[in-house]
Amino acid sequence: MKLPSKGSSVEEVLGVMKQRKADDANWRGAKTFSLIYPAGEEVDHALHEFNNLYLYENALNPFRFPSLHTMEKEVVAMTTDLLHGGEDATGAMTSGGTESILMAVKTARDRARAERGVTEPQLLAPVSAHPAFAKAASYLDLEHVQIPLADDLRADVDAAEKLITDQTAIMIGSAPNYPHGMVDPIPELAGLAAERGIHFHTDACVGGFLLPFLEKLGHDIPPFDFRVPGVTTISADVHKYGYCTKGASVIAHRSKATADYQLFLYDKWPGGIYGSLAMAGARPAAPIAAAWGIMNFLGEEGYCRLAGRALAAAQKLRAGIEAIPGLRIWGDPVASLIAFGSDTLDIMAIGDVMDDHGWHLDRQDGPAALHMMVSPEHERIADEFLANLRDAVANHGASRGVEARYS
Ligand SMILES: Cc1ncc(COP(=O)(O)O)c(C=O)c1O
């Protein structure tokens, strides 16, 4: 396609966009189970307002737009507080979980070089850790070593201990992991790391804005945050269960001493000193404004309400799935992520029928599963979903061979 020689009216351009958008996944109808976290019309409306106010500004230079600088600092402070960081806790906002993870790995690599003389850094992550860790290892030149999972689908601590070397720069645990919604044994893993001066990162991209509120509601949540000795950094995404529009995550540090390793500083440029805490140069302002806006709009009360609704929806779906003969949940997920499969039925063929009913379930292959990241709005569709699932189990044909593919 070439750039059109002449422009079109806003209405014409919007017309084409809307036509194309008609084929996109119907997330407003709560038929998708990943990528977007529907929380209802009030949240939608608020996010439009917050984003609109900051569409043009650039968060690269905090001195030009001090309001952005203040909001970013406050988002980080509110997040470290939720994660039980102490007085010395600090951090920065990034564009998403992957960038927060990249910054944690860069911090750990540079720290290991400077403090322990590590020359061939290794990254030790459970098999179930998000691919962002593999990406970080690849970009930042660390060897990626995988920790196998125990039978309960959490990282195997004994196996992890055997894999540690004097070149291990960073160890990782997820709270929860994406594939099975399990929280790794963070105290045990972080303990192994702390004994050896190794950086430990909790990936709470999914759980950072969910688990604290479920705990406040009285649920039993496995330890994962800065209350666990040895946890050095935590990633927590405001654009997941923080219900912000995309482009907002926090990389949180237990102490300012490690945060210094995150900073990139360059002073040999005619343009002047260039300092940056993230991969991006120019940074959109809207995600910072939207993150600050939604956190203040919802407050602890709003987040508790939404976390409670997401969990209630997940529990209803889980109970309904477990009641269907032949289906089972993999592992024992703590919050609202569910992977279900079967020992006897072809789960991918069942997935095909669910596709035909208009649901967007991710497919997984270790073990074979259909995957759901449940949001508050899924309350509305739980009965319809379960009715369709019962139909799919009773009336599926052979699998069409659709692959497990996330992106
Ligand atoms: C556990 C976990 N960590 C990290 C990420 C990466 O986040 P992002 O897609 O925002 O880069 C995800 C994404 O789903 C995730 O589920």
Side-chain angles (χ1 to χ4, degrees), residues 84-278:
H84 296 270
E87 282 292 296
D88 199 31
T90 184
M93 285 189 72
T94 70
S95 63
T98 301
E99 196 180 9
S100 289
I101 287 167
L102 282 163
M103 298 325 295
V105 175
K106 178 233 180 299
T107 300
R109 184 201 61 181
D110 291 0
R111 231 190 116 196
R113 274 183 189 152
E115 296 178 8
R116 293 173 38 228
V118 168
T119 52
E120 307 277 331
Q122 294 175 318
L123 173 152
L124 199 50
V127 169
S128 51
H130 192 269
F133 291 101
K135 191 179 196 178
S138 161
Y139 280 17
L140 298 166
D141 203 16
L142 285 84
E143 185 191 346
H144 179 200
V145 181
Q146 288 194 304
I147 307 170
L149 303 185
D151 291 344
D152 63 1
L153 296 179
R154 303 184 313 148
D156 182 329
V157 177
D158 291 337
E161 184 164 16
K162 293 195 184 93
L163 290 168
I164 297 173
T165 72
D166 61 355
Q167 297 297 302
T168 306
I170 181 167
M171 291 176 62
I172 285 115
S174 307
N177 65 42
Y178 178 86
H180 315 117
M182 301 296 294
V183 175
D184 286 316
I186 306 285
E188 290 82 353
L189 293 172
L192 291 176
E195 283 164 16
R196 295 160 175 83
I198 297 171
H199 190 109
F200 185 87
H201 181 79
T202 300
D203 178 14
C205 282
V206 167
F209 284 86
L210 181 63
L211 302 183
F213 301 110
L214 292 178
E215 186 182 346
K216 285 179 202 296
L217 289 173
H219 296 282
D220 209 7
I221 299 299
F224 72 99
D225 60 21
F226 289 123
R227 283 171 292 183
V228 178
V231 170
T232 330
T233 45
I234 303 179
S235 45
D237 290 358
V238 204
H239 73 195
K240 291 193 169 67
Y241 284 102
Y243 304 109
C244 187
T245 30
K246 291 293 170 266
S249 169
V250 172
I251 165 75
H253 292 254
R254 176 188 290 277
S255 92
K256 297 194 175 56
T258 60
D260 287 347
Y261 290 104
Q262 190 181 323
L263 180 65
F264 173 79
L265 206 54
Y266 187 68
D267 62 0
K268 294 173 187 59
W269 186 49
I273 297 174
Y274 185 103
S276 164
L277 282 166

